[in-house]
């Protein structure tokens, strides 16, 4: 893979948690290495009940929440730009269920890669990845890099590629090879 095969648009979903912050920083490091663009995304899920489903107050609540989220996103983008001046960082706010909002954003920003932090969950896969991360990894049309909470930000030297030998894994391997070259990392 040449550098032109590298990812150019990185989507970073955030809920402004510590784990999401680690993913944002990791994305900035990668974006700087690849000369890629970051899009920070936060998805607002309104509390909808049968009593407020069509209420004009719900419309106002959504507008206010999106405004507040956008301000937080812009603050985060400003921090990224301050620490990594060569990185272009866009922001966007989605509304609806978290997983669907992230998957919709993949299409709208033409994301080549999703980088996201983890949260807790229940089944073994979801315990390892977090429920949203596991769902996104399964459903996304682009590679997903899941950054565990507490991860120290550094360039990876060893990358493990798990595969079930599906045909679609060929593209993932190609992109991972490009990533490994940038980091001068070994792939197992």
């Amino acid at each position: 893979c040449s550098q032109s095969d590298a990812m150019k648009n990185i989507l970073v979903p955030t809920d402004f948690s510590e784990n999401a912050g680690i993913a944002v920083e990791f994305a900035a490091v990668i974006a700087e290495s690849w000369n890629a663009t970051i899009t920070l995304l936060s998805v607002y899920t309104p509390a909808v009940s049968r009593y407020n489903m069509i209420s004009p107050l719900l419309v106002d609540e959504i507008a206010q929440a999106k405004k507040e989220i956008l301000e937080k996103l812009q603050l985060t983008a400003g921090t990224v730009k301050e620490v990594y001046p060569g990185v272009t960082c866009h922001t966007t706010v989605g509304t609806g269920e978290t997983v669907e909002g992230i998957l919709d954003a993949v299409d709208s920003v033409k994301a080549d890669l999703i980088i996201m932090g983890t949260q807790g969950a229940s089944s073994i896969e979801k315990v390892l990845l977090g429920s949203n991360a596991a769902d996104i990894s399964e459903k996304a049309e682009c590679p997903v890099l899941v950054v565990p909470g507490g991860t120290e930000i550094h360039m990876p030297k060893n990358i493990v590629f798990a595969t079930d030998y599906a045909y679609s894994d060929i593209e993932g391997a190609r992109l991972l090879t490009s990533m490994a070259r940038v980091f001068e990392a070994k792939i197992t």
Side-chain angles (χ1 to χ4, degrees), residues 2-184:
S2 67
Q3 181 62 23
S4 64
D5 293 332
M7 291 150 232
K8 294 295 180 190
N9 297 307
I10 301 171
L11 179 66
V12 186
T14 181
D15 59 2
F16 308 103
S17 66
E18 184 178 337
N19 289 346
I22 293 168
V24 170
E25 187 172 355
F26 200 78
V29 168
I30 291 173
E32 185 176 56
S33 297
W34 282 342
N35 194 26
T37 298
I38 294 174
T39 300
L40 298 175
L41 164 73
S42 188
V43 179
Y44 174 67
T45 305
V48 178
S49 70
R50 64 184 177 146
Y51 301 108
N52 72 353
M53 199 158 42
I54 57 174
S55 168
L57 294 176
L58 182 61
V59 174
D60 292 341
E61 174 197 330
I62 292 171
Q64 182 61 34
K66 287 177 81 170
K67 180 181 175 211
E68 291 170 9
I69 290 168
L70 186 58
E71 289 171 1
K72 287 182 179 179
L73 286 170
Q74 289 171 339
L75 185 62
T76 303
T79 301
V80 168
K81 194 71 172 156
E82 186 177 308
V83 178
Y84 302 92
V87 174
T88 301
C89 191
H90 302 289
T91 60
T92 187
V93 180
T95 306
E97 294 299 320
T98 303
V99 172
E100 287 76 19
I102 293 169
L103 294 173
D104 289 345
V106 168
D107 292 333
S108 66
V109 304
K110 296 179 178 32
D112 298 304
L113 173 67
I114 300 168
I115 299 179
M116 62 189 301
T118 60
Q119 299 292 324
S122 56
S123 75
I124 188 65
E125 177 185 51
K126 293 183 179 185
V127 166
L128 292 173
L129 293 179
S131 59
N132 287 338
D135 287 345
I136 298 297
S137 296
E138 183 179 316
K139 297 174 183 175
E141 294 293 323
C142 66
V144 179
L145 178 59
V146 179
V147 181
T151 299
E152 290 184 29
I153 306 303
H154 64 279
M155 290 296 119
K157 294 298 173 201
N158 295 296
I159 300 171
V160 176
F161 179 64
T163 180
D164 60 1
Y165 303 107
Y167 185 76
S168 61
D169 286 350
I170 294 170
E171 183 61 23
R174 184 176 297 130
L175 293 171
L176 188 63
T177 301
S178 175
M179 182 185 293
R181 282 190 181 134
V182 169
F183 298 141
E184 298 178 1

